[in-house]
Amino acid sequence: MGAFYGSMLVTGTAAPLAGAFLRRVKRTAYVLPLSDSQAIIWDKEVQGFDGVDDLHRVASILSVPEQSTVIGALNFDDDVLGLSLYRGGEEIDFYLSRPEMLDEPEERMGEADVWCDTLNVPSLTAELRALFASDDATFETERHSAIAAAFGWPAWVIGVSYDTIASGDTPDDFPHDQLVHITPES
């Protein structure tokens, strides 16, 4: 069985507010602050095919504050990787490793220029374009790992979901001591 996982990387002014927002809207999630301007969220409902709508709702709102960006990632059975880029309350770009799964695949391929301009790393445009277009990935965790490495994101975010954290099935270097568990009752 392949990997099923979902996460959201929040950057900018919304990052330190992520936990309070999730509490207010009564979500169940793990939040991991990486810095004053970055946090990762693993929402219980943002996993697998059923998590797309929840990811869009949460990421859209978290991307509203000025200078905030949210990158949503969903991996489906390690066969399909979806990456969404949000800013200003809108999904501004979407990458899907198997666009043939959409009704209109030509419209939703992922624009490396948009990603790199939004994330302020124009020097990575050619590399990201190649990663988006590559057919070399046997498993989509490989592609996601390469994208994470290019942007300097922690390697341990790949393959981690709400369920893997809850079960303790995370990489050895995963920073459990920094996690905040958000529940509707908290």
Side-chain angles (χ1 to χ4, degrees):
M1 184 166 157
F4 287 90
Y5 61 88
S7 64
M8 290 172 267
L9 173 62
V10 182
T11 65
T13 57
L17 308 171
F21 165 74
L22 294 167
R23 272 189 198 91
R24 193 170 49 256
V25 296
K26 302 197 181 305
R27 304 292 297 187
T28 300
Y30 287 103
V31 177
L32 179 64
L34 297 175
S35 69
D36 290 342
S37 63
Q38 285 191 329
I40 300 176
I41 298 169
W42 292 275
D43 187 293
K44 186 174 184 176
E45 302 305 319
V46 178
Q47 304 180 94
F49 289 108
D50 297 334
V52 173
D53 291 338
D54 282 296
L55 183 141
H56 181 71
R57 274 192 297 277
V58 173
S60 294
I61 294 169
L62 282 170
S63 73
V64 168
E66 190 173 336
Q67 303 301 317
S68 295
T69 304
V70 178
I71 299 164
L74 287 170
N75 188 309
F76 309 106
D77 201 20
D78 225 355
D79 293 326
V80 181
L81 175 64
L83 298 173
S84 299
L85 181 63
Y86 294 85
R87 179 162 270 180
E90 299 290 328
E91 181 182 61
I92 60 173
D93 199 53
F94 176 73
Y95 166 77
L96 189 65
S97 64
R98 294 190 51 203
E100 66 273 12
M101 297 185 71
L102 296 175
D103 293 335
E104 300 172 21
E106 65 280 353
E107 294 182 17
R108 308 285 285 189
M109 295 292 291
E111 296 292 331
D113 296 6
V114 172
W115 285 78
C116 292
D117 288 346
T118 301
L119 299 173
N120 200 27
V121 285
S123 62
L124 294 178
T125 302
E127 183 177 359
L128 186 61
R129 188 176 295 121
L131 288 167
F132 279 176
S134 174
D135 290 330
D136 293 340
T138 303
F139 300 106
E140 289 303 323
T141 51
E142 295 169 2
R143 183 187 319 270
H144 197 191
S145 293
I147 291 169
F151 282 112
W153 302 331
W156 43 256
V157 302
I158 310 306
V160 174
S161 69
Y162 179 92
D163 288 345
T164 59
I165 294 170
S167 70
D169 189 22
T170 55
D172 291 338
D173 59 343
F174 188 84
H176 290 276
D177 59 326
Q178 298 170 28
L179 275 175
V180 177
H181 191 207
I182 308 294
T183 63
E185 299 81 35
S186 64

